[in-house]
Amino acid sequence: MRRFVFFLPLVCFLILGGVFYSQLGKDNQYVPSALVGKKVPNFTLISLENDQMVTQKDLPHGPYLMNFWGTWCPACHIEHPFLVELALKGVPIIGIDYKDQKHLAEQWLIEKGNPYQQVLMDEMGLFGLDMGVTGAPETFVINSSGVIVHRHQGVVNEQNWPELKGYLK
Amino acid sequence: MKRYNPLALWLCVLFSMLSFAHYALGQEQMTFRSELNKTRYQSLLAELRCPKCQNQSLADSNAGISVDLREQVHFMIEQGKTDQEIVDYMVARYGAFVLYRPQHSSATFLLWYGPFILLAIGFLVFTTVVMSNRKRRGRSLS
């Protein structure tokens, strides 16, 4: 018993050290999304292409990506070419033009190409709030049963695409 | 008579201005239907964390999302929503991360009650050590 008490500080040190070591190098900006595991919340948004009202019934039935972007967002410029690449590979992407202006968005898609199956206008950012978006770009992976399985904050690129792709089924 | 260093005085003025500026930065002008609503608004903003910034409340933050969320809180208060409804709204979208005061749940049990458990363990250890010492001393005396 005495001997155990003598070694107690060392045991505590090792346990704490192990815990701290396992946390080293983790992304401390990472915040889990509250929406993961839930269905896409109800919405009614206006389509950029044809001014039609779009609700969640009009979303794709298979797995797809939902990408929040805006012409005001510098990182979206960097992300865009990769999204175009993904679209060419046949990945369905729904674009949410987040807190943006219609004519700027139209111009952007004409100039840079349109990787989106559908672009919906969220001018007030209210759908963004419902999705728990904190900025752009932000990308959600939605599986074939319409459940959000992953949220990626920041640019989607070659490095992190395999992770997102893993959820896309 | 004591002399004041004018530079120190200026620095005091400057810093106090800066600290006021800090409070004014993150806040838009809002009108409320009642003084109570205004107080509720201020206290809710202090309780909710900006989901984009790592450690700033909605009241302090200038991030775009904080501006939107402040508007949303204002809107919901004026709509007659209760504080609990507003907090639930935020948690449903941004997770428990936005709460500066964590909820009581199984996941936060240790956070809330861990210190008391440790205190109890410490007290138990303390009493057993004292008791055994007293017993030993009693034995050696007899």
Side-chain angles (χ1 to χ4, degrees):
Chain A
M1 181 62 192
R2 279 247 161 254
R3 192 161 294 168
F4 174 71
V5 171
F6 182 74
F7 280 109
L8 203 56
L10 181 68
V11 172
C12 287
F13 167 77
L14 287 178
I15 291 172
L16 278 179
V19 169
F20 292 153
Y21 187 77
S22 71
Q23 298 296 317
L24 269 186
K26 281 205 177 164
D27 180 10
N28 59 4
Q29 300 283 313
Y30 172 75
V31 178
S33 167
L35 269 293
V36 165
K38 295 190 182 140
K39 293 222 166 202
V40 175
N42 291 353
F43 67 86
T44 310
L45 294 171
I46 304 293
S47 161
L48 179 74
E49 290 104 332
N50 51 19
D51 289 332
Q52 293 290 308
M53 295 232 284
V54 176
T55 64
Q56 60 271 40
K57 286 196 207 96
D58 306 307
L59 290 172
H61 295 294
Y64 63 98
L65 300 180
M66 184 182 274
N67 176 247
F68 282 79
W69 62 283
T71 56
W72 50 268
C73 140
C76 300
H77 285 265
I78 299 164
E79 185 184 44
H80 197 84
F82 190 71
L83 294 182
V84 173
E85 221 173 281
L86 287 183
L88 284 177
K89 282 188 206 154
V91 178
I93 311 172
I94 298 293
I96 309 291
D97 188 26
Y98 179 61
K99 303 192 74 177
D100 203 358
Q101 290 173 32
K102 191 175 183 224
H103 68 277
L104 293 177
E106 283 170 337
Q107 183 141 19
W108 162 294
L109 293 177
I110 291 167
E111 279 170 13
K112 293 166 156 288
N114 184 353
Y116 304 111
Q117 276 198 352
Q118 249 180 346
V119 181
L120 311 178
M121 302 286 298
D122 185 22
E123 280 160 306
M124 304 295 293
L126 286 176
F127 180 56
L129 283 190
D130 284 343
M131 289 290 286
V133 165
T134 64
E138 211 163 288
T139 304
F140 292 84
V141 183
I142 291 133
N143 70 9
S144 48
S145 37
V147 174
I148 300 163
V149 281
H150 184 68
R151 187 263 299 262
H152 178 82
Q153 289 182 304
V155 174
V156 177
N157 55 26
E158 214 121 358
Q159 283 77 50
N160 53 42
W161 169 240
E163 194 197 346
L164 272 81
K165 197 181 177 183
Y167 288 101
L168 193 73
K169 56 192 163 199
Chain B
M1 201 186 121
K2 200 175 171 199
R3 275 162 45 97
Y4 292 98
N5 181 347
L7 180 68
L9 196 68
W10 274 113
L11 280 178
C12 279
V13 171
L14 187 70
F15 280 123
S16 62
M17 275 162 72
L18 279 177
S19 61
F20 281 126
H22 170 72
Y23 281 112
L25 265 179
Q27 303 267 337
E28 303 77 28
Q29 285 294 318
M30 298 252 182
T31 50
F32 293 88
R33 282 200 303 211
S34 68
E35 208 46 40
L36 173 68
N37 279 3
K38 189 174 181 178
T39 318
R40 283 178 55 208
Y41 175 77
Q42 296 295 353
S43 65
L44 271 171
L45 291 199
E47 289 273 316
L48 294 168
R49 193 200 299 199
C50 156
K52 181 147 191 138
C53 348
Q54 285 295 302
N55 204 1
Q56 269 186 315
S57 70
L58 281 189
D60 297 333
S61 161
N62 291 310
I65 189 66
S66 295
V67 178
D68 289 1
L69 288 176
R70 279 200 291 271
E71 263 165 28
Q72 190 64 25
V73 170
H74 174 254
F75 176 71
M76 290 177 85
I77 284 179
E78 294 291 276
Q79 248 191 344
K81 294 270 198 287
T82 64
D83 287 6
Q84 192 56 50
E85 280 172 318
I86 296 171
V87 167
D88 289 346
Y89 173 93
M90 293 295 167
V91 171
R93 283 153 184 79
Y94 294 97
F97 177 85
V98 295
L99 300 176
Y100 268 125
R101 197 191 301 268
Q103 285 164 327
H104 294 258
S105 70
S106 53
T108 57
F109 177 82
L110 277 182
L111 192 66
W112 279 102
Y113 303 107
F116 297 108
I117 294 169
L118 285 179
L119 190 70
I121 293 172
F123 186 71
L124 275 178
V125 170
F126 177 74
T127 42
T128 45
V129 167
V130 167
M131 294 291 262
S132 66
N133 277 359
R134 188 172 291 173
K135 217 177 273 171
R136 202 181 305 147
R137 205 180 304 148
R139 215 181 290 141
S140 62
L141 275 177
S142 60

